Amino acid sequence: MTTAVTAPERAGSAPDGTPVHRWVLERAGTRVAVLDYGGILQSVEVPDRDGVRADVVLGFDDVAGYVDCPSPYFGALIGRYANRIAGGTFTLDGRTYRLPRNNGTNCLHGGERGFDKRVWEAEPEADGHGVRLSLVSPDGEEGFPGRLAVSATYALDAAGALRIEYRAVTDAPTVVNLTNHSYWNLGGAGSGRAGGHRLRITAGHVTPLDGDSVPTGPPAPVAGTRFDFREPREVGSGYDHNFVLDQGTSGASVAAELYDPVSGRVLTVTTTEPGIQLYTGDAFDAGPFGPCEGIALETQHFPDSPNRPDFPSTVLRPGEEFRSVTTYGFGTADDGA
């Protein structure tokens, strides 16, 4: 099957009445739907070991579902800063910036109106392999400095893997941390708890957190703890933590593998990012989905990095380009990933 990017179809409206469109990509047995509202990955359909297709990300059939239930960030592009910034404040070049505190005392996922609540400009890639979403975040939006021009390109490769490439430039020093917030259930959306999936994460360290999910110190070894996923094991529940990937920031490599023993589906996550946030959705109260029905694997920089000079920097300056690539590969197996 050759790559096909369908002409966009009307999918509803944003809260302000702006039209929202759906783009569909299909290649090598993978079919993906992307909304220009929130850059949402609405569906990912792939076959199981018997060739039966199912949608393996949690989401809604129409835009209204996302608007009415925004808090879990289903499938959305997250920015300007994914994860938490402690106290809703950070200092850059001697100047302090104050952000919305939309998660207790913290700023979470870009504030009150992050990129997940924006309608992105969308256009097909010239080679016909994907769709490019773009937006401009003005200086001072949600308290962040600098005019930030952002793009995120969703594309399917010849093997049916989904590649997301993020780029950003700024006209003033700022901080940037972008990710996609899909929840995966390889048994199919709505099939029940995903805690029985087996997970491997190539991380020897995790960032310890306080009660507000803010890092308390340097990364800690996972050996001998419940955070040790270096060998595949059941995910279970009770996770909303950043894992420090072993490859650091030098090139893309495998960050995680998720396997559903019932369907046989395997998800392989490859990224250039230094961390991956594992969130098991324990607090779900989101329409048709209950606790632990989806597993988020958010490739990103570490939480609260703007306040932690010991963490990999998230600072972007004029003349530089932020670039990040994450790929989601799909396959099947009989006895584990």
Side-chain angles (χ1 to χ4, degrees):
M1 180 186 295
T2 58
T3 302
V5 180
T6 66
E9 59 183 19
R10 181 71 181 268
S13 300
D16 64 359
T18 302
V20 174
H21 296 88
R22 177 187 297 108
W23 295 73
V24 178
L25 317 176
E26 191 164 3
R27 195 179 193 189
T30 301
R31 187 174 189 269
V32 170
V34 178
L35 301 178
D36 54 21
Y37 176 74
I40 288 170
L41 185 59
Q42 185 182 24
S43 63
V44 177
E45 297 177 23
V46 293
D48 66 8
R49 64 163 65 94
D50 297 318
V52 178
R53 296 165 62 86
D55 179 11
V56 295
V57 295
L58 305 190
F60 300 96
D61 293 334
D62 53 32
V63 176
Y66 296 96
V67 172
D68 295 340
C69 186
S71 58
Y73 303 94
F74 286 109
L77 292 175
I78 303 298
R80 287 189 187 190
Y81 197 92
N83 219 308
R84 294 164 178 84
I85 296 179
T89 184
F90 69 94
T91 300
L92 178 60
D93 295 342
R95 182 174 175 181
T96 297
Y97 296 92
R98 302 194 183 282
L99 316 172
R101 296 183 176 186
N102 62 319
N103 178 244
T105 61
N106 305 319
C107 180
L108 176 66
H109 292 336
E112 299 285 354
R113 186 172 182 263
F115 293 172
D116 60 293
K117 298 178 180 65
R118 298 279 300 276
V119 177
W120 296 59
E121 295 289 330
E123 59 182 353
E125 285 288 273
D127 61 6
H129 287 233
V131 58
R132 182 178 183 270
L133 306 178
S134 60
L135 61 76
V136 174
S137 177
D139 178 34
E141 185 172 49
E142 296 297 295
F144 290 93
R147 177 185 183 274
L148 191 74
V150 184
S151 70
T153 300
Y154 289 84
L156 292 175
D157 69 15
L162 174 63
R163 183 178 189 268
I164 308 178
E165 180 175 2
Y166 310 85
R167 293 178 180 266
V169 294
T170 183
D171 67 355
T174 191
V175 295
V176 181
N177 190 22
L178 306 177
T179 194
N180 175 274
H181 207 299
S182 290
Y183 293 91
W184 301 92
N185 187 321
L186 300 183
S191 64
R193 292 173 63 90
H197 287 18
R198 293 175 62 193
L199 176 65
R200 181 173 75 91
I201 302 178
T202 58
H205 292 78
V206 66
T207 48
L209 304 176
D210 63 16
D212 292 323
S213 297
V214 172
T216 58
V222 300
T225 75
R226 69 187 185 96
F227 301 105
D228 193 348
F229 286 96
R230 290 175 295 176
E231 295 295 330
R233 63 181 179 85
E234 283 196 6
V235 181
S237 60
Y239 294 95
D240 191 7
H241 295 79
N242 170 67
F243 289 75
V244 179
L245 298 174
D246 292 339
Q247 83 269 28
T249 58
S250 56
S253 59
V254 174
E257 292 177 330
L258 188 66
Y259 170 67
D260 172 32
V262 177
S263 69
R265 293 187 183 95
V266 179
L267 169 68
T268 302
V269 182
T270 303
T271 189
T272 59
E273 286 295 291
I276 188 167
Q277 185 86 4
L278 168 63
Y279 175 45
T280 48
D282 300 69
F284 267 6
D285 182 15
F289 305 115
C292 304
E293 286 200 29
I295 296 168
L297 295 167
E298 306 157 61
T299 58
Q300 57 189 253
H301 273 57
F302 305 168
D304 202 32
S305 291
N307 294 311
R308 294 295 302 262
D310 55 323
F311 286 177
S313 177
T314 55
V315 174
L316 181 68
R317 298 185 180 278
E320 301 175 345
E321 182 185 45
F322 171 91
R323 180 176 180 270
S324 173
V325 178
T326 294
T327 300
Y328 304 91
F330 308 101
T332 59
D334 291 327
D335 56 1

